[in-house]
Amino acid sequence: MKLYSSFRQATLLICCVFGSFLCSNCRPTPAELVVNVLPLQSASGVVPVRVLRTGADYELQRGGKPYFIKGAAGVQRLNLIKEKGGNSVRIYTATYADVLMDRAQQSGLTVMFGLWMKPPYEKFDYYDPKAVAEQQEEVYRQVQRFKNHPALLMWNLGNELDNHNGDFKVYQIVNETAKMIHKLDPNHPVTTTITDGTYSIPSIAHLCTDIDVLTINVFTKLAEQPQRIADAGWKGPYIIGEFGGRGWWETPLTSWDAPLDQSGTAKAAFLQRGYTTTIAGRRSHCLGSYVLYWGNRFEQTDMWLSMFAPTGEKTPMVDMIEQLWTNRKPANEAPQVGPISLAGKQDVNDVALAPGTDYPASITASDPNGDSLRVEWKVTRDVDEFHTLPQNRTAPEAIPEAIRASQGVNAVVHTPTVRGAYRLLVNVYDGKGSVSNNSFPFFVGRPDHPDLGIHMPTYRRF
């Protein structure tokens, strides 16, 4: 009896282990997971989208017709995208997606729909099967809900999953998820978005055989990107998912690590060079792009990446993208703005000033249409973007009495009495709905770093 009891216990143990193994390999299919999730729209409204290859070239087709993406990333002022010549908008998550998708449809826009996947740098463990399965289930539910929406252009799995990450297990999961999305929705392509770093491309090319197109966020290196991704091993089609002026995370820095800005005019010219080379000039492989940021948000300053002022005025970047999308200039162009001078120096001179002292400041500005200009000057504490989490970004208040006097393009700056990093910000308005801007970092007192001079950053953007 004792022998029989031991045998029975051993048999039960084997059965339990084997049963657990079978259960772990019999996870529900995506179709089973979403069986109770109803699409928000009828399948009759679907507009099929395909990525087609003809010889060595690629083409995006929507409803059987060629479709080149002229898009903007952001959820503000959607009606102006179409008005300026665009045709698509990029959203990053499913938050408020039902409202945004309907608004896009009403504005005549398609949507690159972001299916959020937590990046590894947020401590998400892609080796944890339970966590991965839960995240995938949420992705599949969103696909099921929105797959019939007539504005849907494609699905975008994650954003910059390669950022701060050298372990590309994540791309095995991306491919697995993309394969299942195709089964749930055979009518729309799937992409994933990476940074401009090419180190992840060999792994993606090898592991992500089920994505239809690669999306890349790239700013300073936009003009070089086609050659860089080809050298890294990507031979397929691509989309530029974010671009614009030079990013604060990749610009030259002062000795105290403050990034040097570009004027609004310089950002527009920078955008034009990259767009002409990499987007419009590479249509055999580039399926289009999304300019960032269509609206206003704070990153380093409230105008660094913003294409509109907080009060709604358009910048030279909006004028430039309209010209690139339509081959015509806007009826009224934004002011042209050049460098700022402070204490007789440019920002590349690593300007450190005495506390509680008056210094002259000036900016060059003109208007293409001859409009009279209003110049707004202010000084704020500078922001340490390199160590600020995105959810903690807030614009600092203007420092009272820091502008002693101003008259048009000239001002007198009264430096704060507290030692530290500050920034002079200048906005130039034409009174006709346009603005241009620039900013100038300076230090009150002596910076901590003894090696004065401009150097390049070693950090990456979140």
Side-chain angles (χ1 to χ4, degrees):
M1 289 294 294
K2 187 175 181 180
L3 180 62
Y4 174 80
S5 177
S6 298
F7 177 79
R8 183 171 178 271
Q9 290 174 4
T11 303
L12 285 172
L13 178 61
I14 293 170
C15 288
C16 288
V17 171
F18 188 66
S20 298
F21 174 80
L22 287 177
C23 288
S24 66
N25 286 273
C26 295
R27 286 169 45 195
T29 66
E32 291 169 336
L33 290 170
V34 302
V35 67
N36 294 320
V37 180
L38 295 177
L40 296 180
Q41 289 81 24
S42 165
S44 62
V46 172
V47 182
V49 182
R50 300 281 185 273
V51 177
L52 300 180
R53 180 175 182 175
T54 305
D57 296 347
Y58 294 88
E59 182 179 74
L60 187 66
Q61 288 193 357
R62 181 173 183 262
K65 298 178 181 179
Y67 191 90
F68 189 73
I69 300 169
K70 299 176 180 180
V75 297
Q76 304 170 24
R77 305 181 181 278
L78 297 189
N79 60 312
L80 288 181
I81 299 175
K82 185 75 170 181
E83 180 182 309
K84 301 297 181 183
N87 59 13
S88 192
V89 62
R90 178 183 175 188
I91 65 175
Y92 289 76
T93 72
T95 305
Y96 305 116
D98 49 349
V99 174
L100 294 172
M101 295 285 281
D102 289 345
R103 282 182 54 199
Q105 175 71 9
Q106 293 161 7
S107 301
L109 305 173
T110 62
V111 178
M112 176 190 271
F113 193 116
L115 297 166
W116 190 248
M117 296 178 66
K118 288 185 179 179
Y121 66 73
E122 289 187 359
K123 309 303 181 186
F124 187 86
D125 185 2
Y126 278 90
Y127 290 90
D128 181 343
K130 183 176 183 293
V132 167
E134 289 174 351
Q135 180 169 256
Q136 286 177 318
E137 288 170 19
E138 179 58 27
V139 165
Y140 301 148
R141 283 192 288 269
Q142 298 304 336
V143 170
Q144 181 72 357
R145 290 185 70 214
F146 293 101
K147 67 181 182 181
N148 293 339
H149 201 290
L152 180 61
L153 183 68
M154 68 178 64
W155 304 107
N156 180 28
L157 279 170
N159 183 60
E160 299 188 356
L161 295 170
D162 60 324
N163 204 351
H164 302 287
N165 177 43
D167 183 347
F168 297 116
K169 170 69 175 179
V170 61
Y171 288 112
Q172 290 181 327
I173 306 303
V174 165
N175 195 65
E176 176 185 305
T177 310
K179 183 183 296 186
M180 297 305 181
I181 290 173
H182 281 309
K183 292 180 179 179
L184 285 173
D185 176 19
N187 291 310
H188 299 97
V190 180
T191 185
T192 189
T193 299
I194 64 171
T195 66
D196 67 354
T198 58
Y199 52 90
S200 65
I201 288 179
S203 295
I204 293 171
H206 178 69
L207 296 172
C208 293
T209 55
D210 285 278
I211 65 168
D212 301 283
V213 54
L214 182 63
T215 299
I216 306 157
N217 296 339
V218 54
F219 292 81
T220 293
K221 298 174 184 175
L222 178 58
E224 310 154 31
Q225 202 63 15
Q227 190 60 51
R228 294 179 74 240
I229 62 177
D231 290 346
W234 184 259
K235 308 303 180 185
Y238 65 86
I239 293 167
I240 301 302
E242 293 177 3
F243 71 104
R246 191 174 60 194
W248 55 260
W249 59 94
E250 55 191 356
T251 187
L253 304 174
T254 66
S255 67
W256 60 91
D257 292 341
L260 301 185
D261 203 355
Q262 293 172 294
S263 71
T265 302
K267 288 174 183 174
F270 189 89
L271 179 153
Q272 180 187 35
R273 289 193 296 272
Y275 188 97
T276 302
T277 302
T278 295
I279 299 167
R282 295 286 184 131
R283 290 184 66 153
S284 63
H285 280 69
C286 183
L287 307 184
S289 62
Y290 292 88
V291 66
L292 184 86
Y293 175 75
W294 194 265
N296 181 270
R297 72 177 185 187
F298 184 86
E299 280 197 53
Q300 190 64 52
T301 76
D302 58 9
M303 296 292 287
W304 197 293
L305 294 177
S306 301
M307 298 183 71
F308 295 85
T311 46
E313 291 85 358
K314 66 179 176 64
T315 65
M317 294 245 290
V318 176
D319 292 345
M320 180 55 69
I321 202 68
E322 179 179 357
Q323 186 174 335
L324 293 168
W325 283 345
T326 65
N327 293 317
R328 66 173 184 269
K329 288 187 176 181
N332 187 274
E333 298 178 75
Q336 302 292 301
V337 168
I340 298 172
S341 172
L342 177 60
K345 298 179 180 180
Q346 303 295 306
D347 57 4
V348 295
N349 297 130
D350 220 27
V351 179
L353 304 176
T357 305
D358 289 346
Y359 291 94
S362 63
I363 187 169
T364 59
S366 62
D367 190 83
N369 308 105
D371 298 325
S372 59
L373 300 176
R374 177 175 65 87
V375 185
E376 178 185 86
W377 298 81
K378 65 180 179 179
V379 172
T380 67
R381 273 276 192 182
D382 207 13
V383 173
D384 183 3
E385 274 284 7
F386 295 113
H387 299 95
T388 302
L389 293 174
Q391 61 268 26
N392 295 331
R393 287 180 177 133
T394 56
E397 296 287 334
I399 297 173
E401 301 179 358
I403 303 301
R404 181 74 80 191
S406 65
Q407 185 173 7
V409 296
N410 298 294
V412 176
V413 174
H414 184 74
T415 54
T417 57
V418 178
R419 177 182 177 276
Y422 296 87
R423 189 171 291 264
L424 174 63
L425 300 109
V426 186
N427 287 344
V428 180
Y429 301 88
D430 69 354
K432 300 290 181 63
S434 298
V435 65
S436 193
N437 67 290
N438 207 343
S439 73
F440 188 117
F442 65 94
F443 202 93
V444 171
R446 181 167 180 80
D448 291 329
H449 301 283
D451 55 324
L452 294 182
I454 304 303
H455 62 282
M456 293 302 294
T458 57
Y459 307 95
R460 285 207 56 80
R461 171 182 174 236
F462 282 96

